[in-house]
């Protein structure tokens, strides 16, 4: 099984902004809006190669399907604060004739921090866990995951070093910190199983 696969579809929310170069390839960032069933939306950062789509044209408002990976990097700002940044990294992309909202993330990785089991303000049980997903070439993506109810109980007893396979959706949430509005991301799990 591939240990990192995403299948997402939504509406391009912003124009393309240059992110970085790698050899003869340029990568651009944009935001993708994916509606949830409850009418809320998740805003997902995407970093895409100019080899996959024409980044010189404004694609804002168009629906796109992305097949690729969920990646992370650690950002350190001028004040020394550290933030984990998650983004979709397409390996294939295609424009859709009709709008669609798809948010499926398949990961297999290692629990790399002690799970945090807690009760939410709504009275549900929840467990937060950090998953290290190998990318190859000695690289690793760190993905924060959250399981609710029966998944929460299962995740809460996993020791650090446990290998698990998960299915979920990438969710964004806005929050205030030090007088600034930030966006956090986590994988909301719908399925978890141990990998031997």
């Amino acid at each position: 099984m591939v240990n990192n696969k995403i299948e997402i579809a939504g509406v391009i929310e912003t124009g393309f902004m240059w992110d970085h170069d790698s050899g003869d390839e340029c990568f651009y960032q944009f935001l993708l809006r994916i509606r949830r069933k409850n009418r809320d939306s998740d805003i997902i950062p995407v970093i895409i190669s100019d080899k996959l789509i024409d980044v010189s044209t404004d694609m804002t408002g168009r629906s796109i399907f992305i097949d690729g990976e969920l990646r992370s990097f650690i950002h350190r700002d001028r004040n020394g604060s550290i933030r984990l940044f998650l983004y979709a990294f397409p390996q294939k992309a295609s424009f859709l004739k009709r709008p669609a909202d798809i948010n499926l993330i398949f990961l297999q990785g290692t629990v790399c921090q002690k799970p945090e089991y807690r009760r939410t303000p709504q009275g549900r049980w929840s467990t937060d866990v950090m998953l290290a997903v190998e990318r190859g070439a000695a690289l690793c993506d760190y993905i924060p995951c959250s399981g609710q109810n029966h998944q929460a109980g299962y995740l809460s007893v996993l020791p650090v070093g446990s290998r698990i396979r998960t299915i979920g959706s990438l969710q964004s949430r806005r929050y205030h910190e030090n007088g600034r509005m930030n966006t956090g991301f986590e994988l909301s799990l719908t399925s978890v199983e141990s990998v031997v």
Side-chain angles (χ1 to χ4, degrees), residues 54-65:
D54 179 9
V55 295
S56 66
T57 304
D58 184 9
M59 303 286 186
T60 305
R62 291 195 63 185
S63 295
I64 191 171
F65 174 78

Side-chain angles (χ1 to χ4, degrees), residues 10 17 27-28 30 45 58 67 99 116 132 138 148 165 181 189 194:
M17 187 173 70
F27 292 86
Y28 290 79
F30 68 91
D58 184 9
D67 184 344
E116 182 185 330
Q148 308 291 318
R165 184 179 296 127
M181 183 64 82
L189 302 177
S194 292

Side-chain angles (χ1 to χ4, degrees), residues 115 117 125-129 146-158 164-168 188-193:
Y117 188 52
W125 289 104
S126 176
T127 297
D128 298 329
V129 65
S146 179
Q148 308 291 318
N149 301 321
H150 67 278
Q151 273 117 359
Y154 177 77
L155 288 168
S156 68
V157 297
L158 291 176
I164 59 172
R165 184 179 296 127
T166 67
I167 301 173
S188 178
L189 302 177
T190 55
S191 172
V192 183
E193 63 181 23

Side-chain angles (χ1 to χ4, degrees), residues 5-10 32-37 40-44 64-66 70 88 100-106 167-172 185-190:
K5 181 173 174 54
I6 65 168
E7 294 175 357
I8 59 175
L32 183 69
R33 177 181 295 277
I34 305 173
R35 285 185 316 226
R36 297 184 195 173
K37 290 179 182 173
D40 288 340
S41 292
D42 294 300
I43 306 295
I44 310 299
I64 191 171
F65 174 78
I66 289 169
L70 181 60
D101 295 288
I102 301 168
N103 192 340
L104 284 171
I105 316 289
F106 307 88
I167 301 173
S169 60
L170 185 60
Q171 296 188 348
S172 63
F185 300 93
E186 68 183 11
L187 186 66
S188 178
L189 302 177
T190 55

Side-chain angles (χ1 to χ4, degrees), residues 17-35:
M17 187 173 70
W18 180 86
D19 189 86
H20 69 279
D21 294 335
S22 179
D24 65 344
E25 234 175 334
C26 292
F27 292 86
Y28 290 79
Q29 187 178 146
F30 68 91
L31 297 178
L32 183 69
R33 177 181 295 277
I34 305 173
R35 285 185 316 226

Side-chain angles (χ1 to χ4, degrees), residues 85-157:
F85 179 74
L86 298 182
Y87 61 96
F89 187 78
Q91 292 161 335
K92 296 178 188 172
S94 54
F95 289 102
L96 303 173
K97 292 182 181 175
R98 294 183 182 173
D101 295 288
I102 301 168
N103 192 340
L104 284 171
I105 316 289
F106 307 88
L107 298 177
Q108 182 173 294
T110 304
V111 175
C112 61
Q113 290 179 356
K114 183 179 177 185
E116 182 185 330
Y117 188 52
R118 61 188 169 79
R119 196 167 201 136
T120 67
Q122 295 80 23
R124 292 186 301 242
W125 289 104
S126 176
T127 297
D128 298 329
V129 65
M130 186 66 75
L131 197 61
V133 179
E134 294 175 14
R135 194 194 302 175
L139 294 174
C140 216
D141 292 298
Y142 295 93
I143 313 296
C145 302
S146 179
Q148 308 291 318
N149 301 321
H150 67 278
Q151 273 117 359
Y154 177 77
L155 288 168
S156 68
V157 297

